[in-house]
Amino acid sequence: MPEAQEGVLHDVTALIAFINSVSVTCVNRDPAAAYTAAADRFFLFISELADKSVRYLSSWRPIDNADFEDRRSELQSIRAVWRHFHNFIKPTLDADTLHGPYSVLAGIIQRTRELPGLEGLDVAMFLTPEPNHIQVYVTSFHENALKIRALVPNAPLFPTNLALIGVPYSQDSTTFPNCLIAHELGHHIGNQKDLRTRLDEAANASIRAYFGAKYANADAVQRSVWIKTVGGWAEEIFCDLFGVLLLGPCFAYSYIEHFDLCSVLDSSGTISGDRLGEATRFYVGHPSHHFRVQQQAQILRASNWWEAVTSTGSHVSDLLRQSLEIDLAVYVSKDELGDLVHALIDILPQVRAEVGAVFNGADDGWNEYSQLATPVKSYLKYGVVPSSVVSVERTENQDALVVHPSPLVLLNAGMEFYLTEVGTLMRTVPKEDPSSCERRVHWVRRIEQWISKAIEDHLLMGGSA
Ligand SMILES: [Zn+2]
């Protein structure tokens, strides 16, 4: 089949050229840019995979027409995977060590490594044009890496303990908004533990029980759409609860601020039913943000950290507290989506059990926080980086005890200070105007830098990431 052979040669050549053009960016990267060991592992994977893919394609020849019919789709599949990888390479190259929230990320990694079975976790970061962390679907990279391994002989295995996490490019030098990275890590860890299979099974059972005859009469495609919707919502809740258990209330505060959820508060600081209206709506792609905050508040209320929420005294912590009073019925719309919300509500105990299992035996960090939050905040009040704080004052009988607060304490105490004390800090500065939002931004950046520096110091002096 000379003509077909010519066509095959053309298609294979075009695919090799495409793979080369994608991978060459990893090989010829800017020598002045520095990357973390995790990013280097990612680049090495791409280079090795490109090498193996090109070798395989160079010898790709169907033996006859029947073989051609059977195997032509392979080329299409290999190209589809490389198109997918294409989306991540330049954004990962952009996230060199000068352009990414590295100290916050390193602090979050250190905290995650405290969890049983996650000691070897590593994270490569990429900068994304998405405005928020929680809509970056990171697990798709691992799925595509497995797909191509089934096609290309000796293709390298993408390390299962290497997470690929997207950070909005605008947040590369902020601190508190990046607490939302924990949500993405939740996706990675859920994926490692095959969480979605169990959540989809639970969703299926719940939908069957709730829908009755409607379920029995539905075809497989319809049922699959329902299961994917409820299973997807449950996974999002899992990731939020993971974030809260990993980082404490600062995760929920970042979430509330990012989505401007305080817009439902009236002038007295109370949730207004009228304002809440549309905000209670679920979408096929994600649950209502207020529903999600309510779930975060519930898991916090059952933990030691609730004391910190109730004593913070900010409108953001107030919203978190008040979210518990919202009747679940307001989330259940009078349509099919509302019926699916019912099915989700039925499986929430399983979602909580799944996230609880991840943290089984882990220290919740409350003890350290309750001892160090006050000194950390008083350091911030005087504009001092809280890297080494006095935990126990010196007495006649003993020396003072100086400790380096952990990222968990620094992020929570720092965020509470940011939510409640910016004005106080500014009033200590001569000629500063606490009513100027522009000047407040300046001081918020300073607070973030102090916290970020203290996290770096903690890692240098004891932890590692
Ligand atoms: Zn998500």
Side-chain angles (χ1 to χ4, degrees):
M1 48 172 198
E3 272 183 37
Q5 284 293 6
E6 190 62 30
V8 164
L9 277 178
H10 175 90
D11 293 351
V12 170
T13 305
L15 181 50
I16 290 175
F18 176 64
I19 293 171
N20 281 341
S21 63
V22 175
S23 68
V24 75
T25 48
C26 288
V27 179
N28 297 342
R29 56 185 200 253
D30 180 359
Y35 293 94
T36 59
D40 282 335
R41 285 172 82 189
F42 171 78
F43 297 136
L44 182 66
F45 167 80
I46 294 291
S47 302
E48 285 183 3
L49 182 60
D51 182 51
K52 294 289 187 296
S53 300
V54 169
R55 272 175 204 233
Y56 174 59
L57 290 169
S58 300
S59 61
W60 197 91
R61 298 278 186 286
I63 49 174
D64 54 28
N65 284 346
D67 191 34
F68 176 86
E69 296 298 333
D70 284 349
R71 295 179 58 208
R72 177 59 181 83
S73 58
E74 256 185 36
L75 299 187
Q76 201 179 17
S77 303
I78 293 171
R79 184 181 273 272
V81 169
W82 274 100
R83 266 209 311 268
H84 183 79
F85 290 164
H86 178 278
N87 298 328
F88 295 93
I89 294 168
K90 174 72 167 58
T92 308
L93 283 163
D94 289 343
D96 61 39
T97 49
L98 291 178
H99 299 92
Y102 278 99
S103 54
V104 186
L105 177 65
I108 293 175
I109 294 171
Q110 191 204 41
R111 166 77 178 133
T112 312
R113 286 177 180 165
E114 292 171 9
L115 305 181
L118 293 171
E119 299 82 1
L121 175 86
D122 219 344
V123 177
M125 177 169 40
F126 65 93
L127 299 181
T128 165
E130 287 288 336
N132 68 69
H133 304 70
I134 65 167
Q135 285 169 2
V136 183
Y137 189 55
V138 286
T139 50
S140 60
F141 192 93
H142 291 77
E143 287 159 10
N144 277 280
L146 280 177
K147 245 186 236 170
I148 201 163
R149 218 170 125 75
L151 297 168
V152 173
N154 304 317
L157 182 65
F158 191 71
T160 51
N161 64 357
L162 180 60
L164 193 59
I165 299 281
V167 172
Y169 68 84
S170 59
Q171 303 306 315
D172 72 337
S173 57
T174 63
T175 300
F176 302 130
N178 285 308
C179 290
L180 293 181
I181 287 173
H183 174 96
E184 291 178 68
L185 267 180
H187 278 299
H188 172 76
I189 288 157
N191 195 41
Q192 273 192 320
K193 294 179 181 296
D194 200 18
L195 169 81
R196 190 56 188 271
T197 304
R198 295 189 297 284
L199 291 182
D200 282 358
E201 280 167 12
N204 184 29
S206 172
I207 294 164
R208 185 194 292 132
Y210 191 76
F211 279 27
K214 187 173 159 186
Y215 180 95
N217 296 329
D219 60 24
V221 174
Q222 179 61 72
R223 286 178 189 171
S224 163
V225 169
W226 290 336
I227 292 164
K228 268 196 179 140
T229 303
V230 176
W233 288 343
E235 183 175 346
E236 291 306 317
I237 303 282
F238 170 90
C239 296
D240 291 346
L241 301 187
F242 175 83
V244 164
L245 290 186
L246 188 76
L247 295 185
C250 67
F251 175 86
Y253 298 155
S254 295
Y255 188 101
I256 290 167
E257 187 169 280
H258 185 82
F259 292 103
D260 195 17
L261 302 184
C262 285
S263 61
V264 299
L265 297 176
D266 64 18
S267 55
S268 70
T270 310
I271 290 179
S272 145
D274 288 345
R275 286 177 188 232
L276 192 59
E278 189 55 22
T280 56
R281 194 167 166 70
F282 273 58
Y283 295 87
V284 172
H286 65 85
S288 145
H289 288 307
H290 284 279
F291 182 87
R292 293 169 71 162
V293 166
Q294 188 178 48
Q295 297 310 309
Q296 294 171 42
Q298 272 187 10
I299 208 155
L300 278 167
R301 184 173 55 179
S303 77
N304 290 313
W305 285 96
W306 193 242
E307 196 179 319
V309 175
T310 53
S311 62
T312 290
S314 141
H315 66 306
V316 175
S317 54
D318 272 355
L319 177 79
L320 186 61
R321 198 175 41 73
Q322 289 182 54
S323 71
L324 290 171
E325 294 158 21
I326 301 173
D327 190 333
L328 275 179
V330 305
Y331 297 110
V332 184
S333 51
K334 306 257 177 290
D335 54 16
E336 189 169 280
L337 223 49
D339 291 336
L340 294 175
V341 175
H342 263 297
L344 171 70
I345 290 170
D346 285 349
I347 64 169
L348 286 175
Q350 179 164 346
V351 177
R352 284 193 286 270
E354 288 280 359
V355 78
V358 176
F359 286 84
N360 194 11
D363 180 1
D364 69 356
W366 172 256
N367 235 359
E368 188 199 355
Y369 168 87
S370 56
Q371 285 171 26
L372 301 183
T374 304
V376 166
K377 283 188 257 189
S378 61
Y379 277 45
L380 294 174
K381 208 177 285 178
Y382 292 105
V384 178
V385 174
S387 300
S388 307
V389 304
V390 177
S391 160
V392 179
E393 297 287 347
R394 200 173 81 140
T395 65
E396 262 181 38
N397 302 324
Q398 66 171 38
D399 289 337
L401 181 63
V402 176
V403 294
H404 314 301
S406 69
L408 181 62
V409 170
L410 291 165
L411 287 172
N412 280 284
M415 189 134 195
E416 286 163 16
F417 188 84
Y418 155 66
L419 290 174
T420 58
E421 302 278 0
V422 177
T424 314
L425 171 69
M426 291 173 76
R427 277 186 279 278
T428 66
V429 180
K431 297 189 184 158
E432 191 49 278
D433 175 10
S435 67
S436 159
C437 290
E438 225 171 298
R439 294 303 301 156
R440 278 183 171 249
V441 170
H442 167 81
W443 285 103
V444 166
R445 289 284 174 259
R446 297 295 291 272
I447 296 165
E448 289 194 302
Q449 284 162 5
W450 297 334
I451 291 296
S452 187
K453 177 75 175 67
I455 291 174
E456 264 173 43
D457 291 343
H458 171 87
L459 296 171
L460 282 172
M461 287 185 276
S464 62

